[in-house]
Amino acid sequence: QLDHGCALHTAVRDGLSSVSTQDVPAERPRAVFHTSESDPAKHTEQHEGRLYNIPLEEVKVVFPHGLPYRFQQQIKTFNEARVMVRRPALEILAYLKGSNFAHPAVRYVIYGERGTGKTMTLCHVVHYCSRQGWLVLHVPDAHLWVKNCKELLQSSYNKDRLDQPLQASVWLRNFKTSNERFLQEIKTQKKYMWGKQESTEEGRPLGEVVDQGLARVRSASDAMGVVLREIKQQSHRGSFRLLVAVDGVNALWGRTTLRREDKSPVSPEELTLVHNLRKMVRNDWSGGAIVTTLSQTGSLFKRSSAYTPLELLGKEGFDALDPFVPIPVANYSPREFESCYGYYLERKWLQHEKAHTEDGKAELQFLSGSNP
Amino acid sequence: RIMPVRWSRYNPSYLEPEVKKESYQKPLEELTEEEREQMELKTVQPIKAAPPTLSSSVFSDPMISKFTNMMMKSGNKVLARSLMSQTLEAIKRKQLEKYHKAPENEKETIECNPYVIFHQALKNCQPIIGLSNITKGGKTYQVPVPLTDNRKRFLAMKWLITECRENKHRRTMMPEKLSQELLLAFNNEGPVIKRKHVLHKMAEANRAYAHFRWW
């Protein structure tokens, strides 16, 4: 992905894929790349470098909006979704398994160079949590909220802030597909007024709030704020665990490219979506975890070679996110490269005749720089 | 000041660069006398600079590089090369999707390798006979004339590129359109093949003037 001129065969983004084999690594080195563990809970270090399969129905439910574009194309081409098990993801899973949910939520920040697999690691963690039955709050890319927004409305709830109905309604729709059953179980604890006539009583299921937001697009961002507040207040009771997964969290602190009608620039605090998300990411609630990813590709006004948390978040963001667990993600190790290469060969993605030879493999490794 | 356009300014004693890795890996004993002499000559005589299109990678292909050069506009080779790679990727994706959804017995008939498809499509588009304008007695006649290999390849590539540039909807991207055309040409369908057939028919119709040709 780093070299545009040389996209040849390594143009596809790949996830960790484990192919199924219940077997012995020493005997058949070819077929080792796949493993049959389709439950992320059982992934251990033995499975590192192998690819596991996610059935397509699950993909539609769990990831309505989270996967990177390249990976979605790959799923379409190969007709299956295979994600590789890698060390950063295993680390996070181990921490999640051992964490104490009575304490305030722990923050994990995944960072690394461009194209090394941060979003895929996040998706792996999201899949694990949804398998375990957690409530997943997945924000696919916070950069979409601070740039290229066509409609900005003045918020009815708070005069200074600006609303983004389009992005909020899209997010609410995807939230509904991924977390259907929780929306019936969680009840609101306060009465909310949407405008002069409509209101939601206390004790109604959250599904109604979400439907309200989808039906009345003008109040969609307020609906989202309500949903987030309710979930946060109820998570410490312990009836469900909450995972906040945000991709591109450096968009929340920094500058936006949006302007008001009088051409004055908008800072992120003035956007309702960003304000609410910042409240979620502060760790004053307990009963879950916050996993975030830094992203240079969508970030505004930052150097293209910046990838460390301090550079991308800026001082404000770094202070706000302060006690966090940093998790670096690197390019493929030789073993992971081998397994990826084996998978592509098997799926006939590497079509060139010379790609099967040793020379071809060495060349692919060099040209792609072992970058996923 | 004279700019070299079809000839080169090098001294004739300069030799061509040798790119293939295999020729350097053979141990000395296996070479014949002439080859040994050539190697010694290379150590002594000056060698021309290698052009940037010549690469020692296993994945390079002279036809593909010619095609990319023809697609290039105002010297933007980076763009042309990325378009070419996106086209090959698009072809591969379409064929792989068909392959993975097809039942077992049809799997062998589907061709997935984009290079093979590209070469076969070009071969299918090459005309066998061409027309040239010959003026005799004040009138110009279209005379059927045999074409050299280079000319056939050039015509096939030229037709493909002009076809893609003109006959498409405003919003379709070049790689998409090119991949469509290549797949059609691979199956002997599509507008480029039609153009080739039209040329053949014209040549057949003007058979009578074939004796005007003097070469």
Side-chain angles (χ1 to χ4, degrees), chain A residues 209-230:
Chain A
V209 174
V210 175
D211 292 327
Q212 174 77 32
L214 285 174
R216 295 250 169 280
V217 183
R218 303 199 86 175
S219 51
S221 0
D222 290 328
M224 202 185 110
V226 163
V227 161
L228 292 180
R229 181 190 295 172
E230 288 300 317

Side-chain angles (χ1 to χ4, degrees), chain B residues 24-39:
Chain B
Y24 291 117
Q25 278 161 1
K26 279 198 257 177
L28 267 175
E29 294 75 25
E30 287 185 7
L31 299 177
T32 58
E33 283 302 319
E34 310 162 347
E35 286 183 346
R36 248 176 257 190
E37 276 184 36
Q38 251 187 359
M39 292 291 275

Side-chain angles (χ1 to χ4, degrees), chain A residues 5-6 8-9 11-12 70 73-74 76-77 79 347-349 351-353 363, chain B residues 57-59 81-82 85 89 92-93 96-97 99-101 112-116:
Chain A
C6 183
L8 290 179
H9 308 281
V12 176
R70 286 254 189 230
Q73 277 181 324
Q74 184 182 329
K76 213 175 95 173
T77 316
N79 236 1
R347 272 297 168 182
K348 303 206 191 292
W349 179 246
Q351 281 282 337
H352 195 105
E353 307 81 33
E363 209 175 303
Chain B
S57 140
V58 280
F59 296 118
R81 205 168 121 142
S82 69
S85 50
E89 199 194 320
K92 202 167 25 165
R93 272 193 207 274
L96 272 180
E97 268 188 56
Y99 180 87
H100 284 298
K101 291 193 183 138
C112 286
N113 194 340
Y115 293 96
V116 162

Side-chain angles (χ1 to χ4, degrees), chain B residues 23-68:
Chain B
S23 57
Y24 291 117
Q25 278 161 1
K26 279 198 257 177
L28 267 175
E29 294 75 25
E30 287 185 7
L31 299 177
T32 58
E33 283 302 319
E34 310 162 347
E35 286 183 346
R36 248 176 257 190
E37 276 184 36
Q38 251 187 359
M39 292 291 275
E40 274 179 61
L41 209 60
K42 281 195 187 198
T43 43
V44 179
Q45 293 277 33
I47 306 190
K48 291 187 197 176
T53 43
L54 200 60
S55 83
S56 65
S57 140
V58 280
F59 296 118
S60 60
D61 188 2
M63 290 265 256
I64 303 265
S65 24
K66 249 296 181 271
F67 197 74
T68 15

Side-chain angles (χ1 to χ4, degrees), chain B residues 10-29:
Chain B
Y10 278 117
N11 201 340
S13 64
Y14 277 64
L15 308 165
E16 298 288 328
E18 170 74 51
V19 180
K20 289 194 304 197
K21 271 195 277 195
E22 288 92 21
S23 57
Y24 291 117
Q25 278 161 1
K26 279 198 257 177
L28 267 175
E29 294 75 25

Side-chain angles (χ1 to χ4, degrees), chain A residues 7 34 55 63 75 77 131 144 152 172 174 200 208 237 262 265 276 293 299 327 338 345 348 355 359 371-372:
Chain A
H34 312 289
F63 296 117
I75 298 183
T77 316
R131 271 292 184 106
L144 295 173
L152 276 180
L172 279 174
N174 291 327
T200 311
E208 277 205 18
R237 274 201 247 138
D262 50 355
N276 292 329
T293 315
S299 76
I327 301 188
E338 301 259 339
L345 271 185
K348 303 206 191 292
D359 281 340
N371 184 301

